[in-house]
Amino acid sequence: MKQFNIKVGSPSNYWSDFEGELCVYGFLKWQNSDSIRLLSDKITSFTWDYINLSQKYGIAIPVKTFQSMYHFETEYFHYKSKFEDERQHNPLFFIQILNDNWLFPSVLFVSSTEQPKKIICIEPLLELEEAKGKRIFHSSSMPLKVELDIGTKAIQLSYYLDNDIFNSWIDNKKTKRDPEIGGKNCWVDNSELAYLNTPRLNSFLRDLKKLCFEYGATEFEFEDLGLNDFCEDGVMFKGEVVYYEDIVDMLPPEHRIVSL
């Protein structure tokens, strides 16, 4: 029988990505001419709303800073003018590029006693500040990736996650290698950090779907390739999806990083 009682000082030291072997995908699709035209005509408004949503919950936030929608549009149109190929005119790509790195920082508590950090990579654990002026070669280990694929016959926004940082319990290659834990049928308790991070992820994913459908998306698909405790609505605690608004009033002030 599995034992779920191993507490460690820094559970984030055991966070791991699964290199695509275990992962989840969510797909929001625009699949007819009317829906494609609606999003295409309002793509900057959609992106600005996405920026505000991601910053609200601290999930997959932009690496660029914009003071207003006008500022964002000005910078984006300048960026577009550099490319004749319309495939380069992707606003979500634009807001996530820093020094030729494609980054998706998420504001995460890596310790319950420290301020949250803008994490861009799980293995190794890297903060956004560490990417400035550098090339980062660990893009596959990002906390959550959100992409927009713009085609002439369809548009698709997808999110992708292949790690266990949002789970209450951790059982991975790191726990198996640890001589104090590995081989003893024990999982590391990550519930304290998950309680601070996961409800924000769940609220972000829920509101991301709402945003896409408001801008004409016609379909949502979810695929779980083996990650524990995931469903199409997010990550479950004991079989239930908990949203940020469900727990925010119970958090101490230093852990309330979202204004509702």
Side-chain angles (χ1 to χ4, degrees):
M1 178 180 295
K2 295 282 186 184
Q3 300 178 56
F4 303 96
N5 58 355
I6 301 299
K7 291 185 177 292
V8 296
S10 299
S12 58
N13 290 339
Y14 290 89
W15 288 354
S16 176
D17 76 87
F18 294 99
E19 300 175 350
E21 294 181 3
L22 304 176
C23 57
V24 294
Y25 292 90
F27 304 98
L28 280 303
K29 300 181 179 183
W30 290 256
Q31 293 185 302
N32 60 57
S33 57
D34 289 340
S35 66
I36 293 170
R37 187 180 306 111
L38 173 61
L39 181 62
S40 298
D41 290 345
K42 298 183 177 182
I43 193 66
T44 56
S45 295
F46 171 80
T47 306
W48 180 246
D49 286 345
Y50 172 84
I51 291 171
N52 286 302
L53 172 62
S54 64
Q55 290 177 332
K56 175 180 179 179
Y57 292 114
I59 302 293
I61 63 176
V63 296
K64 296 180 175 67
T65 301
F66 307 103
Q67 304 304 318
S68 64
M69 183 174 178
Y70 174 76
H71 181 206
F72 157 67
E73 289 180 324
T74 301
E75 295 293 323
Y76 172 57
F77 292 141
H78 175 70
Y79 163 81
K80 281 176 57 177
S81 69
K82 299 177 182 179
F83 305 99
E84 293 185 5
D85 188 345
E86 291 189 0
R87 290 174 296 181
Q88 300 288 336
H89 298 174
N90 188 321
L92 259 66
F93 183 79
F94 162 67
I95 66 175
Q96 306 297 160
I97 288 292
L98 178 67
N99 302 326
D100 295 325
N101 296 306
W102 196 13
L103 304 175
F104 298 85
S106 284
V107 180
L108 300 174
F109 286 91
V110 299
S111 167
S112 60
T113 60
E114 300 177 6
Q115 290 295 310
K117 301 176 180 179
K118 294 179 181 178
I119 300 298
I120 60 170
C121 181
I122 303 304
E123 290 190 63
L125 196 64
L126 295 176
E127 297 180 51
L128 178 60
E129 288 295 320
E130 298 177 80
K132 294 181 178 179
K134 302 177 183 178
R135 286 298 306 274
I136 301 296
F137 299 99
H138 305 284
S139 59
S140 62
S141 299
M142 59 194 69
L144 178 77
K145 184 177 181 179
V146 180
E147 294 182 277
L148 183 65
D149 182 14
I150 302 175
T152 57
K153 296 184 179 180
I155 298 175
Q156 177 174 281
L157 182 143
S158 60
Y159 65 80
Y160 168 75
L161 185 151
D162 71 341
N163 57 64
D164 54 9
I165 69 177
F166 297 104
N167 292 87
S168 296
W169 305 95
I170 295 176
D171 177 37
N172 57 40
K173 59 189 177 185
K174 290 184 178 180
T175 62
K176 289 178 171 60
R177 286 198 303 258
D178 190 314
E180 297 298 320
I181 299 171
K184 298 181 180 180
N185 286 329
C186 298
W187 291 10
V188 167
D189 185 348
N190 187 54
S191 59
E192 189 173 47
L193 296 182
Y195 189 72
L196 299 177
N197 295 320
T198 305
R200 288 186 292 112
L201 172 73
N202 291 341
S203 291
F204 169 78
L205 295 178
R206 176 200 61 198
D207 290 356
L208 179 62
K209 284 188 282 187
K210 290 181 180 177
L211 176 65
C212 291
F213 282 111
E214 287 172 1
Y215 280 88
T218 56
E219 185 178 346
F220 170 70
E221 292 182 4
F222 174 77
E223 185 174 6
D224 183 355
L225 301 181
L227 275 182
N228 289 318
D229 297 328
F230 268 82
C231 68
E232 65 178 39
D233 294 320
V235 188
M236 294 179 287
F237 293 131
K238 298 180 180 180
E240 180 183 4
V241 175
V242 177
Y243 297 103
Y244 189 74
E245 58 269 26
D246 297 329
I247 59 99
V248 63
D249 290 339
M250 295 179 280
L251 295 174
E254 63 270 21
H255 291 157
R256 298 180 189 178
I257 65 174
V258 178
S259 298
L260 295 179

